[in-house]
C-alpha cells in the first residue's frame, strides 16, 4: 500500500534524486548513440518530427525539452551537494575539510571538462564549453554560500542574473555589442579572451555565471527537504514563480529565452521546470512510495559522471562507431532497412553502456569526484 502524505525519512538517500539523475543520464546516453539526430533528419515533414525535435537544442530563441537537460544536471548536483554536506558534517567533518574536498572535486570536474573537448582531429584544443567545466564553477559558488541564510542565497541568485543582464546589455564592446545576437554578444567576446575562439553553435563559457543559479537553487531545495517535512507545495509554488517570471520576460520582449547564452529568462524558466520535475518525482517516489522499477535508472544515476565521461570521450570517438559497424554488418545479411539498422545500433550501444553501469552497481563500485 502507498504511504500517507508523510515523506519517507530523509536521513538516507533521496530516491527521487537518484531516479532523476539516472533519468537524465539515460537520456544523454541514448543521445550519444546518435539516434535522436537520425530520427530528426529522417522524419522531416511528418507529424513525428514535431515530437522528436524536442530532443534537439533550439537553434536560438526558444525552448525545447532538450534544453532542460543541462539545467537539470546542474540543479541535481546542487541537491546532491546538500545531502553530501549534511552527511559529512553529521559525521564530524569540519567546514575546512569539506572545503578542501570541494576544491579537489571542482579541480577534477574542470580537468575532465577540458579533457572532454581537448582531443580534436586537427590536434589538441583548449575549450571551456563542457557542462563539467561549468559545474566546477557553480559547485564552488554554491558551496561557499551554502551556510548563508536562504534569503541571502536567493539574493546571490538575483545578483548573478542581474550581472548577466548588465554584461550583455551595457559592455558595448565593438563587434560584440548586440546582447542577444549569435556570434556578436558579450559571451562570444569573452570566449575570444579566454580561448581565442568563438563556438560556431553559439555556446559561451560565461554561461557558468547565470547557471550557478541552478546549482545554488538545488542546494537550497536539498536543505529544505532535509528538514523531513512535506515541502511539495513550496516546490510547486517556487517553480510557478520562476516559470511566470522567465516566460514573462520573454513574452513582453524584455529578455528572450536563449539557452545557448543562458539568458536570465532562460535560467528562470528552466529552473521552474526543474523544480516541478523534482516535485513530481518527490511526490510519486518519496511521498507516495511508488518505488518499483526504479533500478533501471538509479544504477545509471549512481555512476553518472563515469557513464557521462565514457560516452562523451570513449563512446563519441570510438565505441559507438565500432558497435554500429558490427550491428549494421550483421543486419545487412538480412537486408534490413536503414531505420532498423539505426535503431538496433542505438539499442546495442546503449545496452552495453547500461550493462557497464549494472556491472559496477553489482560490484558496488561507484566513481565519484
Amino acid at each position: 500500500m502507498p504511504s500517507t502524505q508523510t515523506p519517507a525519512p530523509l536521513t538516507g538517500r533521496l530516491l527521487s534524486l537518484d531516479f532523476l539523475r539516472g533519468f537524465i543520464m539515460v537520456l544523454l546516453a541514448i543521445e550519444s548513440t546518435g539516434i535522436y539526430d537520425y530520427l530528426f533528419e529522417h522524419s522531416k515533414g511528418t507529424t513525428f518530427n514535431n515530437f522528436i525535435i524536442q530532443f534537439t537544442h533550439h537553434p536560438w530563441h526558444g525552448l525545447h525539452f532538450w534544453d532542460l537537460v543541462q539545467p537539470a544536471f546542474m540543479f541535481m548536483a546542487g541537491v546532491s551537494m546538500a545531502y553530501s554536506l549534511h552527511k559529512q558534517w553529521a559525521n564530524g567533518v569540519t567546514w575546512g575539510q569539506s572545503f578542501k574536498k570541494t576544491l579537489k572535486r571542482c579541480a577534477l570536474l574542470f580537468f575532465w571538462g577540458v579533457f572532454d573537448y581537448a582531443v580534436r582531429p586537427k590536434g589538441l584544443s583548449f575549450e571551456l564549453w563542457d557542462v563539467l567545466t561549468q559545474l566546477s564553477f557553480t559547485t564552488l559558488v554554491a558551496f561557499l554560500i551554502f551556510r548563508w541564510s536562504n534569503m541571502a542565497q536567493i539574493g546571490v541568485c538575483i545578483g548573478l542574473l542581474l550581472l548577466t543582464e548588465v554584461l550583455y546589455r551595457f559592455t558595448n564592446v565593438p563587434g560584440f555589442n548586440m546582447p542577444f545576437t549569435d556570434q556578436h554578444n558579450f559571451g562570444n567576446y569573452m570566449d575570444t579572451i579566454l580561448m581565442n575562439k568563438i563556438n560556431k553553435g553559439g555556446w559561451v563559457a560565461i554561461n557558468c555565471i547565470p547557471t550557478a543559479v541552478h546549482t545554488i537553487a538545488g542546494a537550497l531545495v536539498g536543505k529544505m527537504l532535509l528538514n523531513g517535512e512535506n515541502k511539495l507545495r513550496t516546490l510547486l509554488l517556487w517553480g510557478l514563480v520562476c516559470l511566470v517570471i522567465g516566460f514573462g520576460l520573454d513574452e513582453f520582449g524584455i529578455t528572450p529565452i536563449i539557452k545557448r547564452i543562458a539568458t536570465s529568462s532562460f535560467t528562470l524558466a528552466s529552473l521552474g521546470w526543474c523544480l516541478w520535475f523534482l516535485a513530481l518525482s518527490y511526490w510519486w517516489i518519496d511521498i507516495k512510495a511508488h518505488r518499483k522499477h526504479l533500478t533501471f535508472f538509479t544504477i545509471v544515476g549512481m555512476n553518472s559522471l563515469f557513464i557521462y565521461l565514457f560516452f562523451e570521450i570513449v563512446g563519441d570517438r570510438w565505441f559507438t562507431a565500432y558497435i554500429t559497424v558490427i550491428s549494421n554488418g550483421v543486419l545487412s545479411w538480412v537486408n534490413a532497412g536503414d531505420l532498423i539498422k539505426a535503431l538496433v545500433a542505438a539499442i546495442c550501444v546503449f545496452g552495453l553502456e547500461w550493462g557497464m553501469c549494472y556491472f559496477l552497481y553489482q560490484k558496488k563500485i561507484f566513481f565519484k569526484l
Side-chain angles (χ1 to χ4, degrees), residues 44-66:
K44 289 181 177 178
T46 69
T47 302
F48 179 71
N49 188 259
N50 295 328
F51 167 76
I52 201 63
I53 197 175
Q54 293 299 320
F55 291 84
T56 66
H57 286 300
H58 198 286
W60 193 247
H61 178 194
L63 187 67
H64 289 169
F65 168 77
W66 198 246

Side-chain angles (χ1 to χ4, degrees), residues 78-154:
V79 180
S80 181
M81 172 191 285
Y83 276 77
S84 175
L85 291 177
H86 174 78
K87 182 178 180 180
Q88 289 178 43
W89 295 336
N91 291 331
V93 177
T94 66
W95 185 92
Q97 291 171 324
S98 294
F99 179 56
K100 291 179 181 179
K101 185 175 181 179
T102 301
L103 277 180
K104 180 181 177 181
R105 172 181 169 81
C106 292
L108 287 171
L109 286 169
F110 185 85
F111 168 80
W112 285 113
V114 171
F115 184 77
D116 184 15
Y117 276 59
V119 181
R120 297 297 186 186
K122 294 182 179 180
L124 296 179
S125 177
F126 177 70
E127 300 175 7
L128 300 172
W129 298 307
D130 189 85
V131 63
L132 298 184
T133 310
Q134 308 267 318
L135 186 59
S136 68
F137 174 83
T138 69
T139 296
L140 183 59
V141 173
F143 175 83
L144 290 175
I145 67 172
F146 186 80
R147 285 185 165 178
W148 294 11
S149 69
N150 290 351
M151 290 307 300
Q153 292 187 61
I154 292 173

